[in-house]
Amino acid sequence: MVRHLILATAGHVDHGKSALVQALTSTDPDRLPEEKIRGITIDLGFAELRLTSGADPDGELRIGIIDVPGHEDFVKNMVAGVGCVDLGMIVVAADDGWMPQTEEHLQILEYLGVQRVVVVLNKIDLAPDDREFLEEVIRDELKGSSFAAAPIIATSTTKDIGISELKTQLVEQFDQLPDSADYGKPRLSVDRTFSVKGHGTVVTGSLTGGQMKLDQPVMIQPRGISSRIRALQSFGENTDVAQPGARVAVNLANVAVRRSGEGGQEGVGRGDVVTSPEFSIPTQVVDCWVEKSARLVGKSMAAAKSLKQGVRIRVHHGSSNTPGRLYFLDSDPLVVGAQKAAQLRMEGPIALVAGDRFVIRDWSETHTLAGGTVLDALGDVKSFRSRERRAFFERFEGPNVSLATFLEAVVADAHLIREERVLRQSVFGSHEIKVAIKVHEDQGRIFRRKGWVVDVPFWEQQVQLAETLVDCFHRDHCERLGISLSQLRSQLDGRWGEQGAFDVLLDGMISGGLVVEGTVMRRRDHEISMPADLEQAVGRLRAELGKKSTEPPSRKQLLEIGGADRAIRFLVDTGELFELSNDLVFLSSGFQQLEEQVRAYLTRTGGATVSDLRQATGVSRRIMLPLLEDLDQRGVTVREGDLRHLNESR
């Protein structure tokens, strides 16, 4: 079995990261002429390492190595390289020790949620007698971090010391890591773009979240550019399917390379994300949880300064670098060692989803200030400090957020949501989301029906309110069958207005003592009764309609009778009247008589026009046209041109 994994270097400038990568892979990751001249890594370099799994002799580890720059001027490029890393390799030179960029890189790895690192004490040939002491110093520097127990391997690329031991340790660490997640949501953060003659635009990046396939339609975010995969390479080999965790080159159709200095030009460039069309909606407002490393306690450097409300910052996510401002839910600044709810308000669109990790650097890109986790990629400025949004934030306690917490928070915040939309814009896969929904349902936290997921407290409150509305209507209108569904929905939460949602509520309510009858809801045991003040109007209405039962007056004429409106509703509810249209109501016996006349005539003749039927029944066109439309709609008759026939299939 082949496993695809990503390893990223980290560490101070000139500590030998690139030389170490070359010793491991025989590939020089420094590709730019300026890098060759200056002898330092300026931009991201890439190499491939193939190792045999220690847990599976037949298993191959295909490791994409990202060599990041260590110079402080290029930390922004470093962040772009470690956004989707399985394992970090922190390199510390024996003759230089733990340096500022070493510390900054460690904090960045922690902010981005990297779980494991290997520490390399490099250039050990320059201090061979101090190895034990230097390892103790490094171990002391690692205290209080996520990597306190990380293995430390001493190496020298010039003397070929420790390289095989390092490979063995890399295998051991990778064997303990889970496979790169495939949750059907592929994303490729673009770190390089170029054109190939005869092929067009090619982008490279580390693939996460799912497979990419030949001829697959893709969307380039956050610009919303549609494209298609014309060709794929993984580790330099052509392939029809690229696996998550692999370094991938993608040949894109019908899209140009975005050139620097041509900001208005459409095209793909570094910082963009290639993904499936339905995934990762661009956003400029992000609700999140931010933290400022406790490792900065007692430090006087600029990175340790508190972050104030509305501070202008740069957000690094994947290979993107987007300016914006940071706002906190409360008014206090973010101090060293603290974490809190916040909102990012970006100056341009960014492609983020719930669960993504990001790094915050200062506006001048000199210092790494904080890190965070996306809680809701589609935040809203107006509702940021609302009671509902505060309740949403209160369900989270830090940047390491579980699927269960996300699910509980999202459903409670939405109140009701279609099941297929639950956490669709997140780092979680559809299968694990379904499992989590089932667990929450079994625990009684959510209610699921007809493809909808509903928060139980909200459900119970809405059912109780609906029952109260039905009971109040019966009390105030004992002559009516029940409250109309449209009136009921208008008095409940507006979320039930979404197509199909109200049916979920009705379906749940009729399992109790309520029933839907036609377009109204009522109590099963409700019996219509006529109030004394209605009797007189009902009597007059019956008398007026009985004068000519097959051709009644218009509703407008009937309403001239005092109380006729209530009387009509009462008689319709009891079945004594039939409402043919907004303008026509019949005594049910009269309407039945007229329908029978039409049926009998059509049985004798086989077919008839409107005029024929008018003459046969003695009613006007005002009555006959809506009558025939009703019969057509109910399937009693079939219209062919000007003729009506009885429906023989009934």
Side-chain angles (χ1 to χ4, degrees):
M1 183 184 75
V2 176
R3 296 182 64 204
H4 299 274
L5 301 147
I6 300 294
L7 170 71
T9 65
H12 198 70
V13 63
D14 201 30
H15 278 206
K17 295 186 296 299
S18 298
L20 199 58
V21 172
Q22 189 166 4
L24 287 168
T25 66
S26 301
T27 299
D28 183 359
D30 288 340
R31 57 187 173 81
L32 300 178
E34 188 179 356
E35 292 175 330
K36 303 294 186 184
I37 295 170
R38 296 176 62 179
I40 63 171
T41 299
I42 296 172
D43 205 347
L44 301 174
F46 307 99
E48 179 192 357
L49 176 63
R50 298 193 182 194
L51 298 172
T52 300
S53 169
D56 178 9
D58 295 325
E60 181 183 12
L61 304 177
R62 291 193 179 183
I63 303 162
I65 300 182
I66 304 174
D67 183 36
V68 305
H71 196 284
E72 63 180 351
D73 291 344
F74 308 115
V75 173
K76 63 180 180 180
N77 291 343
M78 178 271 175
V79 181
V82 297
C84 50
V85 171
D86 297 297
L87 181 68
M89 186 168 70
I90 300 177
V91 182
V92 183
D95 62 334
D96 215 4
W98 196 271
M99 296 295 285
Q101 259 57 63
T102 316
E103 176 62 33
E104 186 173 10
H105 285 195
L106 180 144
Q107 291 177 29
I108 289 170
L109 291 172
E110 287 196 305
Y111 286 144
L112 293 175
V114 176
Q115 298 297 308
R116 289 178 176 270
V117 302
V118 172
V119 180
V120 179
L121 178 58
N122 197 26
K123 303 186 181 182
I124 194 61
D125 56 303
L126 300 181
D129 299 330
D130 297 329
R131 174 173 174 174
E132 186 175 337
F133 169 74
L134 292 171
E135 288 184 1
E136 289 179 2
V137 171
I138 291 173
R139 187 65 66 193
D140 191 59
E141 292 287 355
L142 292 172
K143 285 182 180 178
S145 76
S146 305
F147 316 122
I152 301 174
I153 306 296
T155 63
S156 168
T157 56
T158 58
K159 301 294 185 180
D160 193 25
I161 298 173
I163 303 302
S164 61
E165 289 84 351
L166 176 57
K167 289 181 179 180
T168 300
Q169 187 56 237
L170 292 176
V171 169
E172 184 176 328
Q173 293 298 316
F174 279 124
D175 280 344
Q176 296 180 65
L177 288 169
D179 291 337
S180 297
D182 184 349
Y183 45 84
K185 300 173 180 178
R187 284 190 290 175
L188 185 114
S189 294
V190 176
D191 47 43
R192 289 177 62 198
T193 60
F194 49 91
S195 294
V196 177
K197 189 174 182 179
H199 296 276
T201 298
V202 176
V203 302
T204 69
S206 301
L207 179 60
T208 63
Q211 298 178 340
M212 280 189 169
K213 300 179 180 180
L214 199 63
D215 290 324
Q216 175 183 339
V218 292
M219 185 72 71
I220 300 166
Q221 299 290 20
R223 292 170 173 262
I225 302 172
S226 297
S227 185
R228 178 180 57 82
I229 296 177
R230 296 174 58 183
L232 277 171
Q233 279 193 355
S234 181
F235 296 105
E237 298 176 356
N238 291 328
T239 182
D240 291 342
V241 181
Q243 301 295 335
R247 286 291 305 173
V248 178
V250 184
N251 182 198
L252 294 171
N254 305 317
V255 61
V257 173
R258 187 171 68 250
R259 305 295 181 185
S260 60
E262 301 176 15
Q265 179 187 351
E266 288 293 325
V268 61
R270 184 165 176 168
D272 289 341
V273 177
V274 181
T275 184
S276 53
E278 68 279 3
F279 185 57
S280 187
I281 301 171
T283 181
Q284 288 188 235
V285 181
V286 179
D287 288 341
C288 56
W289 195 270
V290 294
E291 60 172 331
K292 196 167 180 65
S293 176
R295 294 179 64 83
L296 295 168
V297 171
K299 304 290 176 62
S300 60
M301 62 182 70
K305 291 183 179 179
S306 300
L307 290 177
K308 297 180 180 179
Q309 194 78 258
V311 63
R312 200 176 188 200
I313 44 88
R314 289 185 180 272
V315 175
H316 291 258
H317 168 259
S319 57
S320 68
N321 171 1
T322 311
R325 292 188 182 274
L326 179 64
Y327 294 86
F328 304 115
L329 193 62
D330 57 34
S331 58
D332 299 328
L334 179 66
V335 299
V336 167
Q339 49 184 255
K340 60 172 61 183
Q343 188 173 79
L344 298 171
R345 300 175 189 173
M346 315 308 297
E347 295 180 13
I350 186 171
L352 289 163
V353 298
D356 275 347
R357 304 291 286 258
F358 58 86
V359 171
I360 295 174
R361 306 197 79 227
D362 62 3
W363 176 251
S364 62
E365 299 190 87
T366 307
H367 304 287
T368 299
L369 305 177
T373 301
V374 177
L375 304 182
D376 185 352
L378 302 176
D380 180 70
V381 172
K382 292 182 180 178
S383 65
F384 175 47
R385 294 186 175 89
S386 66
R387 179 173 58 83
E388 294 79 6
R389 188 85 315 196
R390 288 180 183 276
F392 172 79
F393 281 119
E394 285 173 2
R395 295 180 182 272
F396 300 94
E397 297 179 351
N400 298 314
V401 184
S402 67
L403 169 56
T405 302
F406 262 116
L407 178 61
E408 187 175 344
V410 166
V411 175
D413 184 62
H415 292 324
L416 75 154
I417 182 172
R418 289 192 181 276
E419 188 169 353
E420 73 267 15
R421 293 211 309 257
V422 175
L423 291 174
R424 184 166 59 188
Q425 299 296 322
S426 76
V427 298
F428 305 108
S430 58
H431 176 70
E432 59 180 330
I433 292 171
K434 287 180 179 179
V435 171
I437 288 174
K438 182 63 169 60
V439 170
H440 276 61
E441 183 181 28
D442 292 344
Q443 294 172 345
R445 297 181 182 182
I446 62 173
F447 177 85
R448 183 168 54 163
R449 190 185 292 269
K450 290 188 172 181
W452 291 80
V453 176
V454 190
D455 182 49
V456 164
F458 173 74
W459 171 264
E460 292 174 344
Q461 182 266 337
Q462 288 291 292
V463 169
Q464 183 179 1
L465 175 57
E467 291 179 345
T468 300
L469 290 170
V470 172
D471 291 339
C472 289
F473 191 87
H474 285 332
R475 182 195 64 203
D476 297 337
H477 303 280
C478 61
E479 78 282 3
R480 301 283 303 279
L481 181 63
I483 186 171
S484 72
L485 298 181
S486 59
Q487 181 180 349
L488 179 64
R489 182 167 57 186
S490 69
Q491 296 183 58
L492 295 172
D493 190 281
R495 292 172 178 85
W496 299 112
E498 188 171 348
Q499 186 175 5
F502 192 53
D503 292 339
V504 175
L505 180 63
L506 297 181
D507 188 57
M509 291 175 65
I510 62 177
S511 60
L514 300 170
V515 63
V516 173
E517 192 164 316
T519 60
V520 302
M521 174 169 276
R522 66 178 180 87
R523 286 283 179 188
R524 291 182 185 275
D525 57 0
H526 172 66
E527 294 183 0
I528 295 175
S529 60
M530 189 189 310
D533 63 343
L534 192 59
E535 288 185 14
Q536 191 174 6
V538 167
R540 290 200 299 266
L541 185 64
R542 284 172 175 156
E544 187 64 31
L545 289 170
K547 291 177 181 178
K548 195 171 183 181
S549 61
T550 58
E551 187 153 0
S554 68
R555 185 188 290 261
K556 183 177 180 181
Q557 291 172 308
L558 292 173
L559 291 178
E560 294 176 0
I561 299 172
D565 190 35
R566 286 181 64 203
I568 289 172
R569 288 200 301 269
F570 173 76
L571 293 174
V572 168
D573 286 347
T574 59
E576 191 172 339
L577 287 189
F578 177 79
E579 194 169 18
L580 179 61
S581 68
N582 290 334
D583 192 52
L584 283 174
V585 290
F586 291 75
L587 288 172
S588 294
S589 58
F591 183 80
Q592 185 177 358
Q593 177 187 341
L594 186 56
E595 181 178 334
E596 288 174 353
Q597 290 176 356
V598 170
R599 286 175 180 266
Y601 187 80
L602 292 177
T603 300
R604 292 195 309 270
T605 63
T609 64
V610 173
S611 179
D612 294 335
L613 290 167
R614 282 178 53 208
Q615 293 177 19
T617 58
V619 300
S620 66
R621 188 178 182 87
R622 175 180 72 92
I623 302 295
M624 186 54 65
L625 283 177
L627 169 64
L628 292 176
E629 289 173 0
D630 176 72
L631 295 176
D632 291 343
Q633 188 174 2
R634 288 192 283 130
V636 176
T637 55
V638 176
R639 180 176 179 177
E640 294 181 0
D642 293 334
L643 295 178
R644 278 339 193 273
H645 309 275
L646 285 177
N647 188 351
E648 295 179 358
S649 64
R650 287 176 62 92

